[in-house]
Structure formats: C-alpha cells, structure tokens
Amino acid sequence: MATPSQHLFAPSQDGGDPNRSEAAEPVLSLKHISHRFGDVQAVDDVSLDVLPGEVVCLLGPSGCGKSTLLRLAAGLEILQVGEVELEGRCVARADHPQAPPEQRNLGLMFQDSALFPHLKVLDNVMFGLSHLSATERRRRAMAMLDNLGLTAHADSYPHLLSGGQQQRVALARALAPAPNLMLLDEPFSALDARLREQTRDDTLHVLKNSGAGTLMVTHDPEEAMFMADRIALMRDGRIVQLGTPYELYCHPAEPFVVRFFGEVNEVQAEVREGRVHCAFGTVPAPGLDEGCPVRVLIRPEAVRVSLIGEARLHQRSHVVVSRLLGRTSLLHLCVHGEDGREFHGHSRMPGVFLPSPDQPVALELDPSQVFIYPIP
Ligand code: ATP
C-alpha cells in the first residue's frame, strides 16, 4: 500500500535518478510558463526540464494544455508568461523578441506526417539539410532512411507508403539535421494498433540512438510508459506529478494519477489499528490517524481471487462473469462487505482463469497496488 507521505521517499527501482536535472545541462528548460486563450487558462505555471538523450512525455486528458506547452517550446505560439531556454540559451521570454522555430535547432513531428506530397521520400528527408553539400545531404538522408528500414522507399512518393512508413519518414526528416531537441505531438495516434506499436518501438530506438532530448505529447498512459524516461502528468494546465513511469504507477501522488493509468475499484473506509478493512480485503495504512476516513483505490490486478467450495452466496463474494482478455483474465465480481453491503468490482488475474458465474471466491489484496488517501 502506498500512502501520499511515502512518495517523497519512493525508491527509484527503475535504475533512474529522479533528480536528474542536477546531473546534466537540460536541452530544454521551461520556466514558470503560463498561457491563456481568452478566458481559458491553457497552461498554468509549468516548469520542466528535458535532458540530453531523455524522453519526457506530457500526458493528460484532452484539453489539459499538453499541445500548447509543446507549441510554446517550439516557438509556434508566442510566449505570454515565463521563459523557454534551449541548452541554457533563452529563446523566448515574455515581452522580448522570441526566436522563431527555425532558429531553435529542433525537430518537429506531428500526428499528421505533413510530408511534401510532390517530393520523393529522399527529397523530403534532405529538405532541412540545405546548408550541406549535395553529396553530404544525400549521404545523411540515406543513413537516416537506412536506420528506419526505409532505404527501399527512397525514390517513392509519400502517398505510396503506409501510415507507419510515412511517420517514419517524418521522423527521419526531423532527425536528419541532428537537432538537440525533438518535439513530438501525438505522433502515433493516427496509426492502427499494430502499426502504432511497431512504429513507436522503432521511434524509441532511433531517438535513443540520436542522443537528442525529446518532449512528446500523448494522451495514452501505456504509450507514455513505453516511451518515457519521465512522465509529466497534467490536468487543467498544471503538472500533477512528474517522475519516472515507476514513480507515477507505483507511488501516485493523488487519486487522479491512479485513475488515469486505468480503471480501479474504489471504496471508502476508516483506519482501524493502523489498517484499512474493506470489502476487498485488509491492507496496512501506516502514518494515517486512527478513525481517519479514507478513499481506497484498488487496481484490479491487486485483487487476487481463489476459488472456494462453500456456496453461501448471501455471505460470500462470487463471480458474476469472467472474460479472457489475452494475457490476463478479467473477473467481474460481486463482493460482500462485513456489514452485508454489496459491491461490484473487478479482478485481473494472470493467464487463463475463467471461473463460472456464481462461483464463490475468496479475495486477497496485493498492498503494492492499493492506494489510500485521507478524505479531507
Ligand atoms: P488534446 O489532447 O485534445 O489535443 P491538449 O491537452 O493538447 O488536448 P491543448 O490543445 O493545449 O490541450 O488545449 C488546452 C486548452 O486551450 C483547451 O481548452 C483548448 O480548447 C484551448 N485552446 C488550445 N488552442 C487554442 C486556440 N488556438 N484558441 C483558443 N483556445 C485554444
């Protein structure tokens, strides 16, 4: 079980240092950025660093300000409040001349690959290399295409490529000038599920090889966990929690963070003798006062189900329906609390585990995926 006080002391089990910003000079520093569109406060006092070679994901629900923040970093939006630094150099400060995107040495990639339709793939990639000799432009562009398995398509026009291939060409084009910073806005969201997985895997490898720092917008928590060294989870223009995927998933700062990473069972309870008893089981609640009312958020994978023989359904929890989801099985449960109240909840069990409807079950909780927050 993780209580809010524990987050400060969360061990970094992913091998990363949560205080990375002290270790190297950031390629991008966003300092106290705020931005309004009329009455809408799109970004509200956000500060964030991206280090060389690091992938940072801006994650959050629609309209929370992710794209606006990225566009401010890119210079596609005029900065109203705060400061943007690239490698320690101020490129934008409110009420000062602001460097346009082409003077920021960054690579941009969006949901729509926006390739030039009248140029062949190779010419698209060479486009941003006009400062080099023709031979060097070609050599550099071919090397990028080779990295992404696109050599055979160098002489094709973009419309002959699949969506995933077009996105890879867009990545090659953005990376060809060797920018120190890559800014990616939902780069995979137009692709279907299988193509998305493959394309983001390729993209991660190429980004990591390039050594560029990356700031990427996504609304998909699984994608953020796949891509990111660190995630900045946003809500209403602010960063709610910034940390490694491990820190956000296993030490969520508040209920919003838990819920954002997937559906949870949610009950209210009170702390009794350092523990919380609820219909799903009992977990320790260190550091919380006796009698304190709490919100208990239980991930379905924390609910371990075992089958029992005795069928006194008015007292026992039982299975309503089981579904195989692939690597896991999802059990819809009817859970009975000690006071006789009935709850509906979910358990996610590994592998194929499909008890029949009405099967009586015993429940046990894995405290590491149960999160307890005092109710103010
Ligand atoms: P999504 O995932 O849906 O793209 P987001 O988190 O990227 O959302 P933004 O696009 O940054 O959010 O928008 C933040 C807020 O600012 C939203 O309320 C949006 O409607 C508003 N907004 C964004 N751009 C403009 C604009 N050009 N004019 C007016 N309002 C805007």
Side-chain angles (χ1 to χ4, degrees):
M1 186 275 314
T3 56
S5 59
Q6 284 178 292
H7 307 138
L8 298 172
F9 312 109
S12 183
Q13 293 189 4
D14 64 348
D17 172 4
N19 300 314
R20 279 156 229 247
S21 53
E22 290 168 17
E25 164 129 48
V27 282
L28 170 68
S29 258
L30 302 173
K31 298 182 171 179
H32 299 289
I33 307 275
S34 294
H35 200 82
R36 294 186 78 86
F37 294 105
D39 291 341
V40 176
Q41 186 73 52
V43 178
D44 188 4
D45 194 19
V46 168
S47 296
L48 177 67
D49 288 347
V50 178
L51 297 181
E54 185 185 36
V55 178
V56 176
C57 281
L58 296 173
L59 175 67
S62 183
C64 71
K66 309 179 293 292
S67 294
T68 303
L69 197 55
L70 190 100
R71 291 171 58 79
L72 287 164
L76 295 167
E77 207 70 66
I78 295 294
L79 187 75
Q80 296 170 351
V81 178
E83 195 172 333
V84 179
E85 279 185 3
L86 296 178
E87 294 169 280
R89 179 175 67 98
C90 177
V91 293
R93 187 184 293 157
D95 304 324
H96 284 70
Q98 302 183 7
E102 60 274 18
Q103 287 174 16
R104 295 193 182 193
N105 186 25
L106 44 83
L108 292 169
M109 189 176 164
F110 297 97
Q111 178 177 342
D112 166 9
S113 63
L115 298 173
F116 301 116
H118 60 291
L119 294 183
K120 291 178 177 174
V121 163
L122 180 63
D123 296 322
N124 262 283
V125 179
M126 292 200 303
F127 185 80
L129 302 174
S130 52
H131 56 294
L132 300 175
S133 70
T135 317
E136 183 55 18
R137 287 169 70 197
R138 190 180 172 81
R139 193 199 62 74
R140 178 96 64 98
M142 283 307 290
M144 286 308 308
L145 290 175
D146 194 35
N147 268 346
L148 285 154
L150 290 164
T151 311
H153 300 284
D155 286 327
S156 304
Y157 284 96
H159 71 273
L160 297 174
L161 272 53
S162 73
Q165 287 168 334
Q166 289 183 25
Q167 278 307 69
R168 288 208 286 269
V169 176
L171 179 66
R173 186 177 62 178
L175 277 169
N180 293 324
L181 176 66
M182 287 289 290
L183 299 174
L184 278 54
D185 194 347
E186 302 270 11
F188 316 119
S189 59
L191 306 177
D192 67 49
R194 192 157 302 172
L195 206 51
R196 188 162 59 233
E197 274 181 24
Q198 182 61 51
T199 310
R200 72 187 180 196
D201 191 28
D202 294 344
T203 302
L204 180 61
H205 288 281
V206 170
L207 287 173
K208 283 293 179 184
N209 275 338
S210 78
T214 301
L215 185 64
M216 179 179 131
V217 166
T218 177
H219 63 273
D220 177 351
E222 202 185 304
E223 181 162 290
M225 292 183 86
F226 182 91
M227 293 294 292
D229 297 299
R230 289 188 300 152
I231 296 172
L233 179 59
M234 295 182 67
R235 179 184 54 194
D236 298 336
R238 301 184 73 98
I239 294 179
V240 177
Q241 189 171 358
L242 172 65
T244 63
Y246 170 80
E247 286 165 341
L248 268 74
Y249 196 78
C250 295
H251 298 279
E254 56 172 270
F256 170 78
V257 183
V258 187
R259 293 186 197 114
F260 198 80
F261 281 91
E263 175 259 341
V264 284
N265 302 297
E266 214 167 315
V267 290
Q268 295 190 6
E270 278 185 4
V271 177
R272 295 276 171 235
E273 296 170 345
R275 301 169 81 76
V276 165
H277 305 272
C278 70
F280 291 87
T282 301
V283 283
L288 292 171
D289 293 340
E290 180 71 9
C292 172
V294 289
R295 198 181 302 286
V296 187
L297 279 71
I298 304 166
R299 290 218 165 96
E301 62 263 38
V303 183
R304 294 179 185 146
V305 171
S306 50
L307 310 184
I308 54 175
E310 198 183 347
R312 283 160 44 207
L313 289 183
H314 62 289
Q315 286 178 1
R316 298 288 185 181
S317 300
H318 66 272
V319 174
V320 177
V321 66
S322 308
R323 290 281 183 267
L324 178 62
L325 301 184
R327 293 185 197 103
T328 59
S329 300
L330 186 72
L331 276 54
H332 298 254
L333 301 170
C334 179
V335 183
H336 292 261
E338 281 174 2
D339 58 2
R341 276 200 297 158
E342 204 175 271
F343 297 87
H344 285 269
H346 289 156
S347 159
R348 197 182 274 264
M349 296 286 283
V352 180
F353 182 74
L354 299 169
S356 312
D358 293 337
Q359 165 69 49
V361 290
L363 307 180
E364 198 186 334
L365 288 178
D366 167 6
S368 72
Q369 293 302 321
V370 178
F371 306 97
I372 300 176
Y373 301 93
I375 298 173

